[in-house]
Amino acid sequence: EAGVAQSPRYKIIEKRQSVAFWCNPISGHATLYWYQQILGQGPKLLIQFQNNGVVDDSQLPKDRFSAERLKGVDSTLKIQPAKLEDSAVYLCASSSQVASNTGELFFGEGSRLTVL
Amino acid sequence: QQQVKQSPQSLIVQKGGISIINCAYENTAFDYFPWYQQFPGKGPALLIAIRPDVSEKKEGRFTISFNKSAKQFSLHIMDSQPGDSATYFCAASKGNTPLVFGKGTRLSVIA
């Protein structure tokens, strides 16, 4: 079974530039998450999708971050304009269950963003 | 507000020893407590999880101990091996809300 695919693995940009990350979840997984992991910290939820609808985006900085999951499969996370503090690893995860506590979260390897 | 507090931040254990990582939570509504393991350059992977209706769960060398009254849970790794060297995250959730993660513990098992 193929895992969660993410790209690009690494990205370096100047502040105020834009960047986009792509995620393809495990086939059949209805729930998709984007987490931000700053160096030395645990993952922090940015947004949760159930199929193509947003379940929780309360911690997404909506003035600069946006995410979509068209057709309920793959997803894109965009940052525009980027700030220095956005330097982090962006993790995508998927689950076959609606509720996170009834199903295991499967994480991708992440996209490491460095903002200079 | 940090909902899940994890300690220690880093841990060095001799091969064959016991590694113990602790987590404390504040929200009594949490009803699911997993531990995730993360190797460098990889995403976190579920290691073991527990619900508050039991006080202990064991899977191989990994055991979760849960103390509901103290709002604490811990991960014990018996017979620790160099291959266990990784960062471990405790997490918690309630109902259908997403997982809240601790800050992580970097474990180094030395021969």
Side-chain angles (χ1 to χ4, degrees):
Chain A
E1 179 183 71
V4 176
Q6 291 188 245
S7 68
R9 289 295 315 277
Y10 305 92
K11 189 74 176 180
I12 301 174
I13 61 173
E14 301 277 338
K15 60 182 179 183
R16 291 186 289 274
Q17 287 186 325
S18 63
V19 63
F21 301 113
W22 173 83
C23 172
N24 190 29
I26 292 173
S27 178
H29 280 193
T31 310
L32 184 147
Y33 308 81
W34 282 101
Y35 281 86
Q36 179 192 57
Q37 186 175 23
I38 293 174
L39 185 65
Q41 296 186 22
K44 172 190 168 186
L45 179 75
L46 292 174
I47 189 167
Q48 176 188 356
F49 291 95
Q50 172 67 18
N51 294 312
N52 61 349
V54 175
V55 175
D56 185 342
D57 64 354
S58 58
Q59 299 184 78
L60 186 73
K62 298 180 184 65
D63 58 334
R64 298 183 301 104
F65 286 66
S66 65
E68 61 183 11
R69 191 183 184 197
L70 301 176
K71 301 179 182 179
V73 182
D74 55 354
S75 176
T76 302
L77 175 71
K78 297 180 181 178
I79 307 174
Q80 182 179 16
K83 292 185 175 181
L84 297 178
E85 58 261 37
D86 298 333
S87 295
V89 175
Y90 291 87
L91 293 164
C92 179
S94 69
S95 171
S96 61
Q97 302 289 341
V98 173
S100 63
N101 67 1
T102 61
E104 177 179 350
L105 263 64
F106 293 86
F107 283 87
E109 294 189 330
S111 294
R112 181 178 296 275
L113 173 66
T114 301
V115 183
L116 302 176
Chain B
Q1 180 186 18
Q2 188 181 354
Q3 297 192 59
V4 181
K5 294 183 179 181
Q6 185 173 345
S7 62
Q9 190 173 357
S10 62
L11 182 63
I12 300 174
V13 174
Q14 204 78 16
K15 179 182 175 182
I18 302 173
S19 303
I20 302 174
I21 305 171
N22 301 298
C23 266
Y25 62 96
E26 298 171 359
N27 191 339
T28 55
F30 284 147
D31 60 2
Y32 177 66
F33 304 90
W35 285 90
Y36 277 76
Q37 179 188 55
Q38 185 176 31
F39 293 103
K42 303 294 184 182
L46 179 65
L47 188 62
I48 187 172
I50 197 169
R51 295 190 183 277
D53 53 342
V54 296
S55 61
E56 185 175 283
K57 183 175 182 180
K58 183 177 181 180
E59 290 183 1
R61 296 184 295 110
F62 302 92
T63 300
I64 297 180
S65 296
F66 184 80
N67 186 330
K68 189 173 182 178
S69 60
K71 293 189 289 185
Q72 294 177 346
F73 59 109
S74 60
L75 175 69
H76 295 234
I77 305 175
M78 310 300 288
D79 187 27
S80 299
Q81 299 298 313
D84 297 330
S85 296
T87 299
Y88 293 81
F89 296 96
C90 61
S93 68
K94 59 175 180 177
N96 61 355
T97 61
L99 287 171
V100 176
F101 286 85
K103 289 191 173 184
T105 297
R106 178 174 289 185
L107 171 66
S108 298
V109 181
I110 56 176

